[in-house]
Amino acid sequence: MDGEPSLLIKPVSADCNMRCRYCFYRRPTDPYRSDGRHIMDDVTLRTMISGYMKSAGKSAAFGWQGGEPLLAGIDFFERVVAYQQAYGLSGQLVGNNLQTNGLLLDEPWARFFRRYHFFIGVSLDGPEEIHNRYRHSADGNDGFRRTLRGIGILRDHGVEFSILTVVNDVTAKKPAELYDFFVRNGFDRLQFIPCLEIDRETGKPREYSVTMEDYRNFLCTLFDLWYNNGRPTVSIRLFENILAVSMGREPEICAFQERCGSYLVVEYNGDIYPCDFFVEAPWFLGNLRESSIGDLLKKRRRREFNDRKKQGAPGCNSCEWNFLCRFGCQHYRLPGGENYFCEAYRAFFRYTRRRFETLKEGLSEA
């Protein structure tokens, strides 16, 4: 994007109709953990959209996340679109992405998303038994079947969507089963996010976290399936970003960008943070009802956070693969600075180097 960073907005904070065991938004240290419902009020919503769109340049990108953002209600998002139309600049492009667990998806939501070209990410960890291992609906009902039903409604109305899967200690051992399930169901846009949460009392990964070894094996096996003799038939976000970097292009995922800072997190009350993994008091930047987004972007604390990305382990600067991972995501760093998944990525990059080169050559000749 040519202007401001994109916004990742939590209109209901961490409120959710699921109780996923591995959800990092439900940490005890989250400053917004409290009883009662959270929802962004109209003044905050209007202030956020008007201020952002005036400074965002030719493109304004809004990401709606949770918790479960659909809990804000369809009336809320109708106001979102109305404010975007009211405050948008002439010729300005607006993009809306929304991440959901799918339980609340119905025909009115699908018609709304189709009409205003929202791109939807749906959280789905695989077949029923795997999906339900850690993902539990708050009412105790089967979340898997309701999620599939919601995806079917999106399809029926022509809404574009992708699947987001958490790679935890269970899913990491079943790459072939996951891939087969997604392909059989016609899910051709896939994103896989490694799960790592460190217990702050013990300093050890929580039991649902994926190990480095399992993540390495998961990536290698998944790539074998995706590569398809040099003719991939589905989109896997990580692999396509690696291919983009190898072709001299900027990656779209922030973990492989040179610096952090490609987006800002907006909490339900207008509080701003530099990353959704770091919605913590030390990284609080201010509130958009008290300061403009432009002023918040200039905060010294934000620059410090963004620059920390380059402060990796001592071996990072000399690593032959640093041009790809660029020190990796700060969330996955160990106390010594090394990325928890460093060896997994190194093994994966070595394992796939020649085939990425083949894909690169094929695209260059096309």
Side-chain angles (χ1 to χ4, degrees), residues 33-65:
R33 280 179 63 95
S34 63
D35 295 333
R37 186 183 179 201
H38 305 85
I39 186 166
M40 182 174 286
D41 64 38
D42 195 67
V43 173
T44 302
L45 178 65
R46 188 170 62 252
T47 302
M48 174 185 70
I49 292 176
S50 62
Y52 176 59
M53 297 194 73
K54 288 175 182 176
S55 60
K58 294 180 180 179
S59 300
F62 296 82
W64 305 93
Q65 199 153 309

mmCIF file of all heavy atoms in Angstrom, residues 33-65:
data_model
loop_
_atom_site.group_PDB
_atom_site.id
_atom_site.type_symbol
_atom_site.label_atom_id
_atom_site.label_comp_id
_atom_site.label_asym_id
_atom_site.label_seq_id
_atom_site.Cartn_x
_atom_site.Cartn_y
_atom_site.Cartn_z
ATOM 1 N N ARG A 33 -9.149 -8.054 29.093
ATOM 2 C CA ARG A 33 -9.906 -9.174 29.665
ATOM 3 C C ARG A 33 -10.768 -8.658 30.819
ATOM 4 O O ARG A 33 -10.271 -8.213 31.839
ATOM 5 C CB ARG A 33 -8.950 -10.255 30.205
ATOM 6 C CG ARG A 33 -8.395 -11.184 29.126
ATOM 7 C CD ARG A 33 -7.452 -12.190 29.745
ATOM 8 N NE ARG A 33 -8.149 -13.055 30.690
ATOM 9 C CZ ARG A 33 -8.638 -14.249 30.369
ATOM 10 N NH1 ARG A 33 -8.512 -14.710 29.157
ATOM 11 N NH2 ARG A 33 -9.235 -14.991 31.270
ATOM 12 N N SER A 34 -12.052 -8.689 30.621
ATOM 13 C CA SER A 34 -12.969 -8.269 31.680
ATOM 14 C C SER A 34 -14.337 -8.830 31.377
ATOM 15 O O SER A 34 -14.625 -9.241 30.248
ATOM 16 C CB SER A 34 -13.047 -6.730 31.766
ATOM 17 O OG SER A 34 -13.577 -6.199 30.574
ATOM 18 N N ASP A 35 -15.178 -8.888 32.369
ATOM 19 C CA ASP A 35 -16.533 -9.374 32.167
ATOM 20 C C ASP A 35 -17.331 -8.352 31.356
ATOM 21 O O ASP A 35 -17.013 -7.162 31.322
ATOM 22 C CB ASP A 35 -17.226 -9.618 33.504
ATOM 23 C CG ASP A 35 -16.558 -10.740 34.292
ATOM 24 O OD1 ASP A 35 -15.956 -11.622 33.647
ATOM 25 O OD2 ASP A 35 -16.620 -10.713 35.531
ATOM 26 N N GLY A 36 -18.375 -8.832 30.727
ATOM 27 C CA GLY A 36 -19.216 -7.936 29.945
ATOM 28 C C GLY A 36 -18.823 -7.917 28.487
ATOM 29 O O GLY A 36 -17.787 -8.446 28.082
ATOM 30 N N ARG A 37 -19.660 -7.275 27.712
ATOM 31 C CA ARG A 37 -19.462 -7.244 26.278
ATOM 32 C C ARG A 37 -18.668 -6.018 25.872
ATOM 33 O O ARG A 37 -18.842 -4.935 26.436
ATOM 34 C CB ARG A 37 -20.824 -7.238 25.571
ATOM 35 C CG ARG A 37 -20.736 -7.356 24.061
ATOM 36 C CD ARG A 37 -22.102 -7.264 23.418
ATOM 37 N NE ARG A 37 -22.003 -7.362 21.970
ATOM 38 C CZ ARG A 37 -22.925 -6.942 21.136
ATOM 39 N NH1 ARG A 37 -24.032 -6.374 21.608
ATOM 40 N NH2 ARG A 37 -22.776 -7.065 19.830
ATOM 41 N N HIS A 38 -17.802 -6.186 24.871
ATOM 42 C CA HIS A 38 -17.056 -5.077 24.308
ATOM 43 C C HIS A 38 -17.538 -4.839 22.886
ATOM 44 O O HIS A 38 -17.716 -5.781 22.126
ATOM 45 C CB HIS A 38 -15.553 -5.386 24.264
ATOM 46 C CG HIS A 38 -14.972 -5.768 25.583
ATOM 47 N ND1 HIS A 38 -15.010 -7.054 26.075
ATOM 48 C CD2 HIS A 38 -14.336 -5.018 26.521
ATOM 49 C CE1 HIS A 38 -14.414 -7.085 27.261
ATOM 50 N NE2 HIS A 38 -14.001 -5.869 27.548
ATOM 51 N N ILE A 39 -17.733 -3.589 22.511
ATOM 52 C CA ILE A 39 -18.049 -3.260 21.124
ATOM 53 C C ILE A 39 -17.625 -1.823 20.844
ATOM 54 O O ILE A 39 -17.793 -0.940 21.701
ATOM 55 C CB ILE A 39 -19.550 -3.466 20.811
ATOM 56 C CG1 ILE A 39 -19.807 -3.249 19.319
ATOM 57 C CG2 ILE A 39 -20.431 -2.557 21.664
ATOM 58 C CD1 ILE A 39 -21.153 -3.740 18.837
ATOM 59 N N MET A 40 -17.043 -1.610 19.687
ATOM 60 C CA MET A 40 -16.582 -0.288 19.306
ATOM 61 C C MET A 40 -17.776 0.651 19.155
ATOM 62 O O MET A 40 -18.737 0.334 18.436
ATOM 63 C CB MET A 40 -15.804 -0.372 17.986
ATOM 64 C CG MET A 40 -15.228 0.950 17.511
ATOM 65 S SD MET A 40 -14.178 0.764 16.044
ATOM 66 C CE MET A 40 -12.696 0.019 16.790
ATOM 67 N N ASP A 41 -17.735 1.807 19.835
ATOM 68 C CA ASP A 41 -18.857 2.740 19.736
ATOM 69 C C ASP A 41 -18.755 3.548 18.443
ATOM 70 O O ASP A 41 -17.743 3.531 17.740
ATOM 71 C CB ASP A 41 -18.955 3.629 20.967
ATOM 72 C CG ASP A 41 -17.747 4.551 21.150
ATOM 73 O OD1 ASP A 41 -17.214 5.062 20.141
ATOM 74 O OD2 ASP A 41 -17.333 4.760 22.299
ATOM 75 N N ASP A 42 -19.820 4.268 18.151
ATOM 76 C CA ASP A 42 -19.915 4.944 16.862
ATOM 77 C C ASP A 42 -18.907 6.072 16.720
ATOM 78 O O ASP A 42 -18.376 6.296 15.629
ATOM 79 C CB ASP A 42 -21.338 5.477 16.660
ATOM 80 C CG ASP A 42 -21.591 5.854 15.212
ATOM 81 O OD1 ASP A 42 -21.615 4.951 14.362
ATOM 82 O OD2 ASP A 42 -21.725 7.059 14.938
ATOM 83 N N VAL A 43 -18.631 6.778 17.797
ATOM 84 C CA VAL A 43 -17.656 7.878 17.719
ATOM 85 C C VAL A 43 -16.274 7.340 17.371
ATOM 86 O O VAL A 43 -15.568 7.887 16.517
ATOM 87 C CB VAL A 43 -17.617 8.670 19.044
ATOM 88 C CG1 VAL A 43 -16.495 9.703 19.019
ATOM 89 C CG2 VAL A 43 -18.962 9.345 19.303
ATOM 90 N N THR A 44 -15.882 6.246 18.033
ATOM 91 C CA THR A 44 -14.576 5.643 17.754
ATOM 92 C C THR A 44 -14.519 5.131 16.319
ATOM 93 O O THR A 44 -13.517 5.325 15.618
ATOM 94 C CB THR A 44 -14.306 4.491 18.738
ATOM 95 O OG1 THR A 44 -14.371 4.993 20.073
ATOM 96 C CG2 THR A 44 -12.938 3.882 18.498
ATOM 97 N N LEU A 45 -15.585 4.469 15.880
ATOM 98 C CA LEU A 45 -15.620 3.930 14.518
ATOM 99 C C LEU A 45 -15.485 5.047 13.485
ATOM 100 O O LEU A 45 -14.661 4.950 12.559
ATOM 101 C CB LEU A 45 -16.926 3.167 14.303
ATOM 102 C CG LEU A 45 -17.145 2.586 12.908
ATOM 103 C CD1 LEU A 45 -16.115 1.506 12.611
ATOM 104 C CD2 LEU A 45 -18.559 2.021 12.776
ATOM 105 N N ARG A 46 -16.255 6.093 13.639
ATOM 106 C CA ARG A 46 -16.221 7.191 12.674
ATOM 107 C C ARG A 46 -14.872 7.917 12.703
ATOM 108 O O ARG A 46 -14.313 8.254 11.653
ATOM 109 C CB ARG A 46 -17.357 8.171 12.971
ATOM 110 C CG ARG A 46 -17.531 9.247 11.910
ATOM 111 C CD ARG A 46 -18.801 10.051 12.109
ATOM 112 N NE ARG A 46 -18.822 10.787 13.368
ATOM 113 C CZ ARG A 46 -19.575 10.475 14.418
ATOM 114 N NH1 ARG A 46 -20.378 9.422 14.368
ATOM 115 N NH2 ARG A 46 -19.533 11.201 15.523
ATOM 116 N N THR A 47 -14.343 8.120 13.900
ATOM 117 C CA THR A 47 -13.039 8.778 14.031
ATOM 118 C C THR A 47 -11.948 7.956 13.357
ATOM 119 O O THR A 47 -11.082 8.504 12.660
ATOM 120 C CB THR A 47 -12.696 8.999 15.517
ATOM 121 O OG1 THR A 47 -13.713 9.791 16.127
ATOM 122 C CG2 THR A 47 -11.338 9.664 15.674
ATOM 123 N N MET A 48 -11.976 6.643 13.572
ATOM 124 C CA MET A 48 -10.975 5.751 12.984
ATOM 125 C C MET A 48 -11.037 5.792 11.461
ATOM 126 O O MET A 48 -10.005 5.974 10.787
ATOM 127 C CB MET A 48 -11.199 4.319 13.478
ATOM 128 C CG MET A 48 -10.297 3.287 12.816
ATOM 129 S SD MET A 48 -10.706 1.606 13.324
ATOM 130 C CE MET A 48 -12.311 1.388 12.509
ATOM 131 N N ILE A 49 -12.219 5.612 10.894
ATOM 132 C CA ILE A 49 -12.346 5.526 9.441
ATOM 133 C C ILE A 49 -12.040 6.869 8.779
ATOM 134 O O ILE A 49 -11.292 6.929 7.790
ATOM 135 C CB ILE A 49 -13.755 5.026 9.057
ATOM 136 C CG1 ILE A 49 -13.915 3.557 9.490
ATOM 137 C CG2 ILE A 49 -13.991 5.165 7.548
ATOM 138 C CD1 ILE A 49 -15.292 2.969 9.248
ATOM 139 N N SER A 50 -12.562 7.937 9.322
ATOM 140 C CA SER A 50 -12.329 9.252 8.702
ATOM 141 C C SER A 50 -10.852 9.630 8.759
ATOM 142 O O SER A 50 -10.267 10.076 7.760
ATOM 143 C CB SER A 50 -13.187 10.322 9.385
ATOM 144 O OG SER A 50 -12.844 10.464 10.754
ATOM 145 N N GLY A 51 -10.226 9.430 9.909
ATOM 146 C CA GLY A 51 -8.822 9.793 10.050
ATOM 147 C C GLY A 51 -7.906 8.942 9.189
ATOM 148 O O GLY A 51 -6.954 9.453 8.575
ATOM 149 N N TYR A 52 -8.195 7.652 9.122
ATOM 150 C CA TYR A 52 -7.344 6.748 8.340
ATOM 151 C C TYR A 52 -7.470 7.009 6.842
ATOM 152 O O TYR A 52 -6.475 7.092 6.120
ATOM 153 C CB TYR A 52 -7.708 5.306 8.665
ATOM 154 C CG TYR A 52 -6.957 4.275 7.860
ATOM 155 C CD1 TYR A 52 -5.564 4.209 7.886
ATOM 156 C CD2 TYR A 52 -7.638 3.355 7.065
ATOM 157 C CE1 TYR A 52 -4.875 3.266 7.150
ATOM 158 C CE2 TYR A 52 -6.955 2.400 6.327
ATOM 159 C CZ TYR A 52 -5.581 2.363 6.368
ATOM 160 O OH TYR A 52 -4.907 1.418 5.633
ATOM 161 N N MET A 53 -8.691 7.175 6.361
ATOM 162 C CA MET A 53 -8.888 7.314 4.922
ATOM 163 C C MET A 53 -8.351 8.630 4.390
ATOM 164 O O MET A 53 -7.956 8.724 3.227
ATOM 165 C CB MET A 53 -10.365 7.140 4.573
ATOM 166 C CG MET A 53 -10.875 5.750 4.917
ATOM 167 S SD MET A 53 -12.467 5.340 4.182
ATOM 168 C CE MET A 53 -11.999 5.092 2.472
ATOM 169 N N LYS A 54 -8.293 9.635 5.218
ATOM 170 C CA LYS A 54 -7.748 10.921 4.778
ATOM 171 C C LYS A 54 -6.243 10.855 4.567
ATOM 172 O O LYS A 54 -5.666 11.685 3.852
ATOM 173 C CB LYS A 54 -8.077 12.005 5.797
ATOM 174 C CG LYS A 54 -9.544 12.410 5.809
ATOM 175 C CD LYS A 54 -9.837 13.410 6.915
ATOM 176 C CE LYS A 54 -11.323 13.769 6.953
ATOM 177 N NZ LYS A 54 -11.663 14.676 8.085
ATOM 178 N N SER A 55 -5.577 9.881 5.174
ATOM 179 C CA SER A 55 -4.118 9.823 5.083
ATOM 180 C C SER A 55 -3.591 8.546 4.437
ATOM 181 O O SER A 55 -2.386 8.372 4.324
ATOM 182 C CB SER A 55 -3.511 9.957 6.486
ATOM 183 O OG SER A 55 -3.970 8.898 7.320
ATOM 184 N N ALA A 56 -4.489 7.674 3.984
ATOM 185 C CA ALA A 56 -4.066 6.349 3.518
ATOM 186 C C ALA A 56 -3.590 6.313 2.078
ATOM 187 O O ALA A 56 -3.161 5.281 1.601
ATOM 188 C CB ALA A 56 -5.213 5.352 3.698
ATOM 189 N N GLY A 57 -3.667 7.404 1.353
ATOM 190 C CA GLY A 57 -3.205 7.391 -0.018
ATOM 191 C C GLY A 57 -4.230 6.776 -0.953
ATOM 192 O O GLY A 57 -5.433 6.881 -0.748
ATOM 193 N N LYS A 58 -3.739 6.106 -2.005
ATOM 194 C CA LYS A 58 -4.630 5.564 -3.026
ATOM 195 C C LYS A 58 -5.409 4.342 -2.552
ATOM 196 O O LYS A 58 -6.427 3.982 -3.139
ATOM 197 C CB LYS A 58 -3.835 5.202 -4.277
ATOM 198 C CG LYS A 58 -3.220 6.408 -4.973
ATOM 199 C CD LYS A 58 -2.440 5.981 -6.203
ATOM 200 C CE LYS A 58 -1.820 7.190 -6.895
ATOM 201 N NZ LYS A 58 -1.031 6.790 -8.085
ATOM 202 N N SER A 59 -4.906 3.670 -1.520
ATOM 203 C CA SER A 59 -5.547 2.446 -1.040
ATOM 204 C C SER A 59 -5.681 2.475 0.471
ATOM 205 O O SER A 59 -4.752 2.868 1.177
ATOM 206 C CB SER A 59 -4.735 1.208 -1.442
ATOM 207 O OG SER A 59 -4.602 1.113 -2.838
ATOM 208 N N ALA A 60 -6.824 2.048 0.951
ATOM 209 C CA ALA A 60 -7.078 1.942 2.393
ATOM 210 C C ALA A 60 -7.487 0.516 2.696
ATOM 211 O O ALA A 60 -8.469 0.012 2.143
ATOM 212 C CB ALA A 60 -8.179 2.910 2.809
ATOM 213 N N ALA A 61 -6.726 -0.158 3.547
ATOM 214 C CA ALA A 61 -6.967 -1.574 3.830
ATOM 215 C C ALA A 61 -7.411 -1.764 5.271
ATOM 216 O O ALA A 61 -6.692 -1.394 6.207
ATOM 217 C CB ALA A 61 -5.699 -2.395 3.567
ATOM 218 N N PHE A 62 -8.593 -2.347 5.437
ATOM 219 C CA PHE A 62 -9.168 -2.608 6.752
ATOM 220 C C PHE A 62 -9.243 -4.117 6.979
ATOM 221 O O PHE A 62 -9.826 -4.842 6.167
ATOM 222 C CB PHE A 62 -10.587 -2.032 6.845
ATOM 223 C CG PHE A 62 -10.672 -0.541 6.742
ATOM 224 C CD1 PHE A 62 -10.670 0.089 5.507
ATOM 225 C CD2 PHE A 62 -10.757 0.245 7.885
ATOM 226 C CE1 PHE A 62 -10.771 1.477 5.400
ATOM 227 C CE2 PHE A 62 -10.852 1.628 7.793
ATOM 228 C CZ PHE A 62 -10.850 2.242 6.545
ATOM 229 N N GLY A 63 -8.676 -4.584 8.080
ATOM 230 C CA GLY A 63 -8.805 -5.978 8.471
ATOM 231 C C GLY A 63 -9.616 -6.071 9.749
ATOM 232 O O GLY A 63 -9.283 -5.415 10.748
ATOM 233 N N TRP A 64 -10.675 -6.867 9.731
ATOM 234 C CA TRP A 64 -11.579 -6.986 10.879
ATOM 235 C C TRP A 64 -11.353 -8.334 11.531
ATOM 236 O O TRP A 64 -11.479 -9.373 10.895
ATOM 237 C CB TRP A 64 -13.025 -6.820 10.419
ATOM 238 C CG TRP A 64 -13.235 -5.533 9.682
ATOM 239 C CD1 TRP A 64 -13.160 -5.332 8.335
ATOM 240 C CD2 TRP A 64 -13.503 -4.249 10.264
ATOM 241 N NE1 TRP A 64 -13.372 -4.000 8.038
ATOM 242 C CE2 TRP A 64 -13.593 -3.314 9.194
ATOM 243 C CE3 TRP A 64 -13.684 -3.795 11.577
ATOM 244 C CZ2 TRP A 64 -13.846 -1.963 9.415
ATOM 245 C CZ3 TRP A 64 -13.935 -2.449 11.782
ATOM 246 C CH2 TRP A 64 -14.021 -1.554 10.716
ATOM 247 N N GLN A 65 -11.034 -8.307 12.806
ATOM 248 C CA GLN A 65 -10.625 -9.524 13.489
ATOM 249 C C GLN A 65 -11.213 -9.552 14.889
ATOM 250 O O GLN A 65 -11.852 -8.605 15.336
ATOM 251 C CB GLN A 65 -9.093 -9.613 13.507
ATOM 252 C CG GLN A 65 -8.554 -11.010 13.772
ATOM 253 C CD GLN A 65 -7.163 -11.192 13.157
ATOM 254 O OE1 GLN A 65 -6.942 -10.911 12.006
ATOM 255 N NE2 GLN A 65 -6.229 -11.664 13.957
#
